Amino acid sequence: MDGILLPLITPFAADGSVAADALAALADQALTDGATGVVALGTTAEAFALDADERRLVLDVCARVCREHGAALAIGAGGSDTRASAAALAAHPDVDAALVPVPYYVRPGEAGVIAHFTQLAADSPVPLLVYHVPHRTAQPLSGATLLALSRIPNVVGAKVASGMTEDAVALLGGCAPDFAVFAGDDAYLSPMLALGARGGITASAHLATERFARLVSAWHKGDVDTARPLGHSLARLASALFAEPNPTVLKGVLHAQGRIPTPDVRLPLLPASEQSVAAALTLL
């Protein structure tokens, strides 16, 4: 598993329901334009605000489109309760991987994080991707802990959303070649690829998907002359899209492009300002 895995938004119709047709169209277009797979029900999907029926609808739509393209499907699953996380993983045996966050809020310590993933990986019917996002979980991890996680059987990769920090560099420099590190902070995709990341789980790739896929290909081929300016350009776009809480600006842009029926998000998120949306559109 490598390349661009797109963490899909959940578009909403004017009546507040999930806009399933728009969701399918977003997934189809991204896979046509070079994404290698999608992540359903991740942070960008506002999964926290979806009920069980809505989550099932989103997963069904994503699974169908991925089957049509022969593409990878990962699902965001798990939380801070190890037993509940194991049950959530057991409920989805038909996906290619599960993106599981480091336990948030409880701050179990690094040894607790290792124990959490060791137990989940032993019981999970699908391979696990560790989601390391310390600004959301309040649980930082050292490079040594990330490397320990990378050696747990059935943990096949990690989404690293800690920026270009010592822990990220240590993981990239010390993990096994078959362990898939994905950049999770969109603005740092290019430098992460330069240091050996396999790809990115990047919300910004809803837009300019082909350019994001080309950036991954360029770094993998060692084509620095292509990768460096392209990486700078896409980093500027990513910064504009994250000027307000994700995915508010992204949804505003997609709505302005006519690709989703509304720019709506669910509380406590608020729609992005017109200025932020305009700034991102200008960079496109």
Side-chain angles (χ1 to χ4, degrees):
M1 189 180 295
D2 58 12
I4 294 295
L5 301 181
L6 185 68
L8 280 164
I9 66 157
T10 302
F12 298 121
D15 64 1
S17 63
V18 172
D21 289 346
L23 176 65
L26 289 173
D28 179 73
Q29 190 65 60
L31 294 171
T32 298
D33 289 348
T36 56
V38 300
V39 178
L41 302 176
T43 306
T44 304
E46 301 172 73
F48 71 91
L50 303 179
D51 64 31
D53 289 339
E54 290 171 328
R55 289 194 295 271
R56 172 51 60 185
L57 173 60
V58 168
L59 184 57
D60 287 347
V61 169
C62 292
R64 173 175 57 80
V65 177
C66 284
R67 284 195 302 270
E68 292 170 354
H69 284 265
L73 173 62
I75 182 174
S80 294
D81 180 337
T82 304
R83 289 188 302 172
S85 297
L89 292 168
H92 299 291
D94 51 351
V95 298
D96 296 295
L99 180 65
V100 180
V102 170
Y104 44 82
Y105 185 72
V106 296
R107 302 186 68 183
E110 295 186 74
V113 171
I114 293 172
H116 174 77
F117 278 100
T118 298
Q119 182 164 328
L120 291 182
D123 297 334
S124 175
V126 298
L128 305 185
L129 300 171
V130 175
Y131 185 11
H132 174 44
V133 55
H135 63 277
R136 289 184 181 273
T137 64
Q139 177 58 71
L141 299 178
S142 65
T145 294
L146 287 172
L147 286 168
L149 293 171
S150 77
R151 293 190 283 266
I152 297 173
N154 206 33
V155 175
V156 299
K159 176 182 177 179
V160 178
S162 58
M164 286 305 300
T165 52
E166 290 183 7
D167 53 284
V169 174
L171 177 62
L172 286 164
C175 66
D178 60 349
F179 186 79
V181 177
F182 291 92
D185 275 339
D186 295 20
Y188 294 99
L189 174 61
S190 190
M192 289 282 284
L193 289 166
L195 290 180
R198 294 270 286 275
I201 299 177
T202 47
S204 304
H206 281 80
L207 310 170
T209 309
E210 183 276 333
R211 282 190 278 165
F212 279 94
R214 183 152 39 96
L215 177 65
V216 175
S217 178
W219 276 120
H220 286 176
K221 293 176 180 177
D223 182 1
V224 177
D225 290 340
T226 296
R228 191 169 286 158
L230 182 57
H232 286 304
S233 172
L234 293 177
R236 288 190 290 270
L237 173 61
S239 295
L241 292 172
F242 281 80
E244 298 185 36
N246 184 49
T248 62
V249 180
L250 175 58
K251 279 191 161 184
V253 172
L254 290 170
H255 178 248
Q257 293 179 326
R259 298 175 64 190
I260 59 176
T262 73
D264 295 351
V265 289
R266 287 184 175 170
L267 286 170
L269 293 172
L270 294 172
S273 66
E274 292 181 5
Q275 293 87 346
S276 292
V277 173
L281 284 166
T282 297
L283 285 172
L284 281 172

